[in-house]
Amino acid sequence: MSAAPAIPAVPAVPTAFAALFTPYTLRSVTAPNRLWMAAMCQYSAEPSGPAAGVAHDWHFAHYAARAAGGTGLIVQEATAVSPEGRISPYDLGIWNDTQVEALRRITSFLKSQGTVPGIQLAHAGRKASTDRTWKGGAPVGPDAHGWRPVAPSAVPFAEGHPVPHELTVDQIHEITGQFAAAARRSLAAGYEVVEIHGAHGYLIGEFLSPHSNRRTDSYGGSVENRTRFALEVVDAVRAVWPEELPLFFRISATDWLQKDGWTADETVRLARTLQEHGVDLLDVSTGGLAPGVTIPVEPGYQVPFAARVKAETTLPVAAVGLITEPRQAEKILADGEADAVLLGRELLRDPYFARRAAVELGGQPRTPEQYHRSW
């Protein structure tokens, strides 16, 4: 009888075989690699009733697959700090303890796979109360579980969108408190990273940009005033978020507007201030504030904005935006343009991208014990 064919041995992982697969530590938390998952809404929670905003089997399966696939850190989708802060009625929330209990199942599994669990805390502002994206994303009213959005100014997002309620100063302070309460619940739910969502034209971004912020009080006008709400939210969250755990801030580095928009120069300036207020990493995206804006979309089109923050400040940054290939991601890190990369749609297409990337870059993927036979 002929001998069984030899099975090639899985190569050992060379030490630091790729920048993408070197661990990264912020405060007391170490991600096993620098290939992370960006927050992406699933629009799959119940819209009303006792289960409103509560994670269920879809959310568990979605995040569990990416953790088993080797993703180093997962930032959970925009999770609303209040019912009115949801982008759609179908968003996840973290404004009550029922939601916390359901999220513990997710964070526990992520940790079991060596993945750092993060959560993005969000308020949608004037872009709230819309339908799910695959149904067009149009505004919805009370007959479809909707509500009237709020904003820094009574300026609608686009034609056909409702005029939002202009927040009073007391209401601004109330929302700041909701972010802090959500951070406390995030800790109880088992998250090790909190990311404050200040990008894509949602509430904090609406305060930052003069295009959407027409206020004449202490929250509008100058850069100092327009950044006031963002910094108050950061301070409120940092005050209740443990000193040993990292805090991220997601920003749109530019609105891509020709005039009267938030700019890259202002992003660099704010990055320095955010670091002074206890932010540990800036997640650098762009756009989302206004519709119909021309954006030069191409592979890695947002990376230069992250690279500029990294070059001109000491705040760590993560790059995002059409990063779809392992060698592309590796080059961003090797060239010093970012400290980590965040993948969005590519991880929707391929939950096991991290495994594929490890092999392509010459190493052995981080694999659950149950799957070791596959290697």
Side-chain angles (χ1 to χ4, degrees):
M1 179 181 292
S2 59
I7 299 175
V10 176
V13 183
T15 301
F17 71 89
L20 194 60
F21 288 93
T22 56
Y24 191 64
T25 299
L26 290 167
R27 298 191 186 239
S28 68
V29 175
T30 299
N33 60 47
R34 304 182 188 215
L35 197 160
W36 302 348
M37 183 176 177
M40 291 174 288
C41 288
Q42 296 297 291
Y43 305 111
S44 297
E46 289 297 319
S48 62
V54 176
H56 53 70
D57 285 352
W58 172 263
H59 302 94
F60 177 83
H62 171 65
Y63 292 111
R66 277 80 196 166
T71 306
L73 184 152
I74 290 175
V75 182
Q76 181 179 291
E77 62 198 86
T79 305
V81 300
S82 70
E84 299 77 22
R86 292 173 292 176
I87 301 168
S88 88
Y90 303 92
D91 283 3
L92 290 182
I94 192 160
W95 64 81
N96 66 44
D97 292 340
T98 301
Q99 295 158 344
V100 169
E101 193 61 36
L103 293 170
R104 285 198 188 104
R105 180 185 178 207
I106 295 174
T107 60
S108 177
F109 184 83
L110 266 55
K111 291 175 184 176
S112 77
Q113 301 303 302
T115 296
V116 175
I119 184 171
Q120 185 184 78
L121 302 182
H123 193 298
R126 68 179 186 172
K127 294 177 72 175
S129 190
T130 58
D131 207 347
R132 290 169 285 195
T133 54
W134 57 86
K135 291 196 171 184
V140 295
D143 59 335
H145 310 289
W147 59 93
R148 186 185 180 189
V150 301
S153 303
V155 180
F157 171 66
E159 185 177 350
H161 283 242
V163 176
H165 165 71
E166 183 172 311
L167 290 164
T168 67
V169 171
D170 285 345
Q171 288 169 336
I172 292 170
H173 294 165
E174 181 181 356
I175 292 172
T176 302
Q178 290 169 349
F179 271 94
R184 289 191 192 95
R185 289 193 174 97
S186 297
L187 182 65
Y191 292 96
E192 297 178 333
V193 171
V194 155
E195 176 173 271
I196 296 170
H197 197 357
H200 302 158
Y202 298 117
L203 185 61
I204 293 176
E206 291 163 17
F207 272 91
L208 295 178
S209 178
H211 180 81
S212 49
N213 185 347
R214 314 286 176 83
R215 299 178 74 97
T216 57
D217 62 5
S218 61
Y219 287 94
S222 66
V223 175
E224 289 80 7
N225 284 354
R226 286 185 279 114
T227 58
R228 188 180 307 279
F229 177 56
L231 295 175
E232 288 179 349
V233 169
V234 167
D235 288 346
V237 170
R238 188 74 267 182
V240 301
W241 190 240
E243 182 69 22
E244 67 272 16
L245 298 181
L247 175 62
F248 293 3
F249 190 97
R250 189 168 220 195
I251 195 166
S252 285
T254 176
D255 294 332
W256 296 107
L257 294 169
Q258 295 300 312
K259 62 178 182 177
D260 297 329
W262 180 258
T263 68
D265 289 343
E266 290 170 321
T267 294
V268 172
R269 178 176 172 178
L270 179 59
R272 297 189 184 107
T273 308
L274 287 170
Q275 188 172 25
E276 292 170 359
H277 285 250
V279 168
D280 299 290
L281 180 138
L282 193 67
D283 173 357
V284 185
S285 188
T286 67
L289 183 84
V293 178
T294 300
I295 300 175
V297 177
E298 62 182 9
Y301 71 103
Q302 295 177 148
V303 173
F305 295 97
R308 181 177 171 190
V309 173
K310 184 167 174 59
E312 297 183 26
T313 77
T314 58
L315 181 63
V317 299
V320 65
L322 277 183
I323 300 171
T324 61
E325 296 296 333
R327 294 189 186 281
Q328 174 197 16
E330 173 67 12
K331 188 174 188 302
I332 291 166
L333 300 182
D335 289 350
E337 294 181 297
D339 300 284
V341 295
L342 285 154
L343 272 60
R345 291 173 177 85
E346 190 59 29
L347 275 173
L348 296 184
R349 289 185 283 265
D350 181 5
Y352 303 107
F353 181 93
R355 289 198 215 165
R356 176 164 63 86
V359 173
E360 184 172 319
L361 295 174
Q364 179 180 335
R366 184 165 60 92
T367 306
E369 293 176 349
Q370 296 89 335
Y371 292 172
H372 275 186
R373 73 188 74 178
S374 66
W375 298 99

